[in-house]
Amino acid sequence: MNPPDPSNITMTLAHFTNIFSLAGIMRDGIANGEVAVTPVHVLNYPWFTSDFSQAAQADWVCMIRSKLALRLEVEFHKADERLVRWRDYAKRLRLRDDWYEKMTGPNIGNNERTWFVYRGVVPFDWITGAYFHRCHGHVTPADLRRAAQLIAPLN
C-alpha cells in the first residue's frame, strides 16, 4: 500500500465572521484580516483556527461581537505553503516577545497551537459548511450563497 499523497491531505479550519461580510466573501473570497506585526505595521491576511468553539474567539472580537455570529468551515490542503501556523509565522517575522504575547492573547498556550494565518485569498469554494450561532444550526455552502444574495442589498 502506498502512503497518501501529501498534496491530497486536507484539514478543516474555522474562520469567524459576521453575517454582513458574507456577500463580500462570496464575491471576493476570504481576503481580509489584520495581522499586526508591530504596533504600526499590519498585514492584510485572514486568520483561521482549529478551535471551533465560539468561546475560544471571544477575547479577540472585543466590541465587534457580531464576528462571532458565523463560523465558516474551510478546507485547506496541508501542503499549501500559504497556510502557516501563527507561532511559526511570528518566529519567521521575528516578532518581539511582548508583541507576540499581546497578539496571541491571554490564552497563549492554546492560541499559539490552534491559530493559522493564510497568506492569500481563500476562494468561497473552499468553504465546506458553516455554523450560524444565533440559530444553533449548520448551513451548507448553498445556504450561504442564498443568504449572501439576500444580504448584499443591505450592505
Side-chain angles (χ1 to χ4, degrees):
M1 177 182 238
N2 292 331
D5 180 354
S7 65
N8 291 331
I9 298 173
T10 62
M11 65 188 298
T12 301
L13 298 175
H15 178 75
F16 286 81
T17 191
N18 70 65
I19 194 75
F20 292 105
S21 296
L22 196 51
I25 289 171
M26 191 179 96
R27 182 186 62 243
D28 304 326
I30 302 172
N32 297 315
E34 293 181 358
V35 179
V37 295
T38 72
V40 295
H41 186 147
V42 177
L43 301 174
N44 184 25
Y45 295 143
W47 290 91
F48 295 87
T49 180
S50 60
D51 188 340
F52 282 32
S53 73
Q54 188 181 33
Q57 311 313 312
D59 292 338
W60 296 106
V61 296
C62 301
M63 290 185 258
I64 311 170
R65 303 286 307 163
S66 64
K67 284 195 73 147
L68 289 176
L70 185 63
R71 181 188 73 216
L72 301 176
E73 297 159 3
V74 183
E75 189 170 12
F76 292 91
H77 286 277
K78 282 190 172 184
D80 188 336
E81 293 180 358
R82 296 170 293 179
L83 180 66
V84 292
R85 191 175 296 274
W86 165 238
R87 70 174 172 215
D88 298 336
Y89 194 49
K91 285 178 187 175
R92 267 194 255 169
L93 294 172
R94 296 187 176 111
L95 259 63
R96 292 186 340 232
D97 289 342
D98 63 327
W99 190 250
Y100 175 77
E101 289 175 18
K102 182 177 181 75
M103 286 301 302
T104 309
N107 194 5
I108 193 168
N110 184 57
N111 294 345
E112 71 177 3
R113 285 190 322 275
T114 61
W115 286 3
F116 295 79
V117 173
Y118 190 75
R119 296 169 300 159
V121 176
V122 175
F124 182 83
D125 293 343
W126 292 8
I127 298 171
T128 58
Y131 187 82
F132 188 48
H133 287 279
R134 294 203 190 279
C135 299
H136 304 287
H138 281 91
V139 295
T140 67
D143 295 330
L144 291 172
R145 286 184 193 282
R146 284 193 294 276
Q149 290 168 347
L150 293 172
I151 292 167
L154 302 175
N155 286 340

